[in-house]
Amino acid sequence: MEKWLLPLVAVAVLLAVWHYSVLMTGTRVFPSPLSVWRGILELLHKHVLWADISDSLRRVVIGFAAATVVGVPLGLCLGWFPSLHQVVNPVLELLRPISPIAWIPVSIIFFGIGDPAAIFLIFLGSVFPIVVAAASGVSSVPPLFRRAGRNFGLTNAQLLRRVIFPAALPQILIGLRISLGIAWLVVVAAEMIAVDSGLGYLVIDSRNSGKRYDLVVAAMLIIGIIGLVLDSVFRLVERIRSVRWGFRHAA
């Protein structure tokens, strides 16, 4: 009961503080919770909210999936071959700290205004944490595991699939979860500049079209709620997959 009650109380307190802060300051710029709720209903009535949510989620899914397909195998290879990691790591550490937002002009030059530019930015923001997590997960597997696998006559491919990857899986999942959060952050920023739809575009368009700050805050809240849902779903999938993987290999 407390698991659900305490968060609901925290949300209620936040809404109360928000409401009375707007009331006491008398501001006409920052909207009240009721104004934001009316803004959400207006967006639903105009049939634009679900389309923007769908566009943002579609870009995140494509960019995150591409980052996973590239990042996990690359990280496994870097962790499996220390000499290769030594060669590639300086390049990774040079590119990794660069904010995906800094790549916006480059993405527009290469891809123009549209989905490819936003997806490219999501890919860049997501791929590096996945590569680092996968490489770190493989390199942190105790050497005893490898020796035991070789003693049982496993080939390199079998050793990687049946021993190394399961041992590194928890760290890989952590990297995927972090990357998903980054992807959701990046898509909002990219949509403010590189595309003309999505929740990020809704924020900037509401600001520019009559300074509708009620719609701006409504879009911000929806972005936060979807981010929370994505993280919760991923944590649930992470627990389910870990349990199933453990049972499969225990058998």
Side-chain angles (χ1 to χ4, degrees):
M1 186 66 178
E2 292 183 357
K3 179 181 178 181
W4 301 102
L5 181 60
L6 294 180
L8 291 176
V9 170
V11 171
V13 170
L14 176 62
L15 291 175
V17 171
W18 177 6
H19 172 75
Y20 285 107
S21 297
V22 172
L23 194 64
M24 293 173 62
T25 58
T27 178
R28 296 184 178 181
V29 177
F30 198 81
S32 66
L34 183 58
S35 298
V36 172
W37 175 247
R38 290 172 179 167
I40 294 176
L41 295 179
E42 179 182 341
L43 292 173
L44 290 172
H45 180 71
K46 292 181 177 178
H47 304 289
V48 298
L49 184 58
W50 293 118
D52 285 331
I53 292 175
S54 175
D55 286 343
S56 294
L57 289 174
R58 173 173 50 80
R59 293 170 186 135
V60 167
V61 168
I62 296 174
F64 178 72
T68 302
V69 170
V70 173
V72 172
L74 179 58
L76 293 176
C77 289
L78 294 179
W80 184 260
F81 301 104
S83 58
L84 179 62
H85 186 272
Q86 187 176 2
V87 173
V88 177
N89 189 60
V91 178
L92 289 177
E93 294 303 320
L94 175 66
L95 297 176
R96 188 166 64 92
I98 301 176
S99 170
I101 309 305
W103 288 90
I104 288 179
V106 178
S107 67
I108 293 177
I109 290 174
F110 284 128
F111 302 102
I113 302 295
D115 279 2
I119 293 171
F120 172 72
L121 294 172
I122 295 168
F123 171 82
L124 281 180
S126 304
V127 70
F128 292 112
I130 296 175
V131 172
V132 172
S136 178
V138 173
S139 61
S140 63
V141 175
L144 178 63
F145 287 15
R146 301 192 185 196
R147 291 197 296 267
R150 295 191 187 280
N151 289 338
F152 281 102
L154 298 180
T155 64
N156 286 336
Q158 291 173 330
L159 183 63
L160 182 62
R161 179 174 59 88
R162 299 172 62 178
V163 178
I164 302 301
F165 182 74
L169 182 60
Q171 198 157 341
I172 294 174
L173 291 176
I174 292 174
L176 290 173
R177 180 183 169 193
I178 294 173
S179 294
L180 181 60
I182 295 174
W184 188 242
L185 290 174
V186 172
V187 71
V188 173
E191 288 173 344
M192 291 183 177
I193 300 174
V195 294
D196 58 357
S197 66
L199 292 172
Y201 177 78
L202 177 61
V203 171
I204 200 68
D205 185 58
S206 300
R207 162 63 176 80
N208 295 334
S209 303
K211 297 183 179 180
R212 292 293 305 275
Y213 290 106
D214 55 338
L215 301 185
V216 170
V217 178
M220 292 169 58
L221 287 178
I222 293 169
I223 290 168
I225 292 171
I226 293 176
L228 176 62
V229 171
L230 289 176
D231 184 72
S232 300
V233 170
F234 193 90
R235 282 189 294 174
L236 177 62
V237 172
E238 180 181 352
R239 288 196 295 268
I240 294 174
R241 299 290 286 183
S242 298
V243 170
R244 287 183 178 178
W245 193 280
F247 277 123
R248 183 185 302 174
H249 286 269

